[in-house]
Amino acid sequence: MAGDFAAKTKTYAVPVILFSLSMLYQLVILPRAFPPSHYDALGIKTYSSIEEVKEAFENLESKWNSGLEVPTTTEFIKIRYAYELLTNPIWKRNYDVFGINEQDHVLEKLSQQYAGEKFYNIELPLLHADASDTGDYAFNVITSKEFQSMFQDSKPWLLQVYSSSSNHSAQFANSWKRIAALLNGVANIGMVELGEIEIAAYLAERKPMGQFFFRNGLPSVLAFPSGCKTSDCLIRFEGELSVDAVTDWFAMTILNLPRIFYYTKESLGPRFLAKSSPHTVKVIFFSKTGERTTPIIRQAAKDYWNYATFACVLWREEEFSVWWNAFGVESAPAVVFLKDPGLKPLVYHGPMNDSWFLNVLEQNKQQELPQLRSLTSEELGCDARGYSRAGRDTLTWYCAILAGRLGPDLDSMRETMRRVQETLSKSSELNAATEDEHSITASVALTSKRLTLSWLDGEMQKNYCFFYLNTENSIETCGPRRVPTDVPRLFIIRYERNATEDTFKVEKKAKSIWEFHQQEVDPAAQLSVTYNGSAEVSQIIQWMSNIIKDGDSRKLPFYRVKTPELVPEDVEPFWSRAPQGILSKSMGAKQKMQRIIIWIYDYLGDPRIGPALLLGSLMSYGSIWLMKNQLKHKVQSSQPSQADNNDKSRLRERRPKRNVSKHNLPPSITDFEPRNSYQMPLSDSDSD
């Protein structure tokens, strides 16, 4: 008996489960998804006109006044709330079209406030339309005509959907103005009022039954990324409405900009200064408020990642001595530029605007003694494939390069070369610093941009370093550290271009592999000389002046070769390899799970699910019943045939068996040919 019950339970498990789910959905889940509307409180049909609302309330009020009906406090509050909501044209429009009812919390509040009191003691009105006039805070409001042409600009759009009667929209007004100011120049800002029904409906989300709604109410913030012109690709802001949250979301999600993180006095050294590239300038912002940097500065961090790395520090008065001793910062706001090792930080105090900062960053993107890198070689004039900083008409120019591995020895020599550069830049101090009048040649060359001073990472640029310092002691300067000592070396390169060859370039087709290689040499001739003197500033200046004077006065060989390429020191930006994951290239697992939960929640309000589950239950039960009937019919139809077979076998058994000999059986007529037989010819034979 128990086995039959278990078998039946297993057979009908699917239809029973589907039927139970359909009943659960219809009786429990669906009523919660469709609570009674405010029209139901007045006993009228949905979307009734304001006149019908007033008439229904007057009928109820007359019954209360006559004493025929006495409502409870809760009933009166619900009816009165519905009346005030649905007789306000703007509130009614927002409720009917988009389901917006941002004052719904008043019901519970008033029910608790007037619990136990008579309904006529309740203070009226329940709702107050105290939102500011739309002209007080709305700007750049987009209408239907403007919406059709707003995507002609390539900049992304940030839009706010608001209502002139919404208290939440009025409270967000000042924050929205601040957001618009921060995004000025990188995005277009606009506002859409719910009265523009077509645009608001186009920007709204839709429930499974087609009803428009804004999931987080008003105001609703959304963005159209660059190149997006339809609602299919718009992105909605789903966080808390604040200046910092909205701008950070827009900068990262829409503009794909890096986030500049805050560091403490304990973490700034090990997590920023130690991990950032030694080839870049460090830029540190000190802030009193802790706000994130503006999108303009974050765009600069993305554009200048090869030159500078950025960090933020929250200023605290108790940490004054730490920042004063480290960088010379007195107060916030301030910005600090850290350039060469041992060089005093460059500090700017006071508030700053974006344009000022971009100008300062452009002026200070290089280290004081610029580094020779793949992206700076042409800019510095230290590239045989390029030209002098003095211009394309300059045929002879020079580049003094200090090469070595990163370390204290190179830092000390870099400081010496900075003093050389500073001395050459100040012609008034040159006579006091040098005794030889010929040393003025280097100063003139530097001032006219025919001379450039720079330094080279000999370990990173080992091929380039060995190419110019190809001696037995080059391993002390170039390539990986193989010896215990590091010896920085200074050398100067003389570049020369052939004016005739640059003006008249005759294209010749290579006839052999040797001619092909000859065409691959750099256009400028090069001659290099290594400095073997002391680290005295005066001697270095005198040596460079002699080299320049000799190179300008003598006719030297025009020797051209193929210079090794400078390799990039940093393959990826500092912020892309940070452990915090500054730029998210794909949606996280948590966000995907939230999207799935929201999608399921939206579809729980679909009234078609219950009937679909019930239909599935009936179809499943019907298929099971049909299969069982077919199986039973087959069993019954197979039983008579088996009885007939049994009867036939019994008849065969009853018949007696005959034992007849097969030896004397008469032959068949076809076994032998009869005597005197012949074949009769046919009349239509071919022989006739």
Side-chain angles (χ1 to χ4, degrees), residues 1-15:
M1 190 71 180
D4 293 342
F5 178 77
K8 289 183 179 181
T9 302
K10 184 177 180 181
T11 302
Y12 293 100
V14 174

Side-chain angles (χ1 to χ4, degrees), residues 508-523 560-563:
K508 296 182 180 180
K509 189 175 182 180
K511 297 181 180 179
S512 65
I513 189 173
W514 310 109
E515 294 182 9
F516 175 78
H517 282 289
Q518 289 178 2
Q519 290 181 350
E520 287 297 313
V521 298
D522 296 330
R560 297 190 304 175
V561 293
K562 178 65 176 177
T563 309

Side-chain angles (χ1 to χ4, degrees), residues 573-628:
F574 168 75
W575 37 262
S576 68
R577 59 178 183 267
Q580 296 94 335
I582 298 177
L583 283 182
S584 179
K585 298 183 179 179
S586 60
M587 187 185 300
K590 183 178 180 181
Q591 293 175 327
K592 291 182 178 179
M593 185 61 65
Q594 290 177 348
R595 292 284 181 88
I596 294 174
I597 293 174
I598 291 174
W599 181 84
I600 295 174
Y601 179 79
D602 289 343
Y603 271 87
L604 285 178
D606 191 346
R608 297 169 294 185
I609 294 180
L613 292 173
L614 182 59
L615 179 62
S617 174
L618 295 176
M619 293 180 64
S620 176
Y621 177 81
S623 62
I624 295 172
W625 179 84
L626 182 61
M627 291 174 61
K628 291 188 68 175

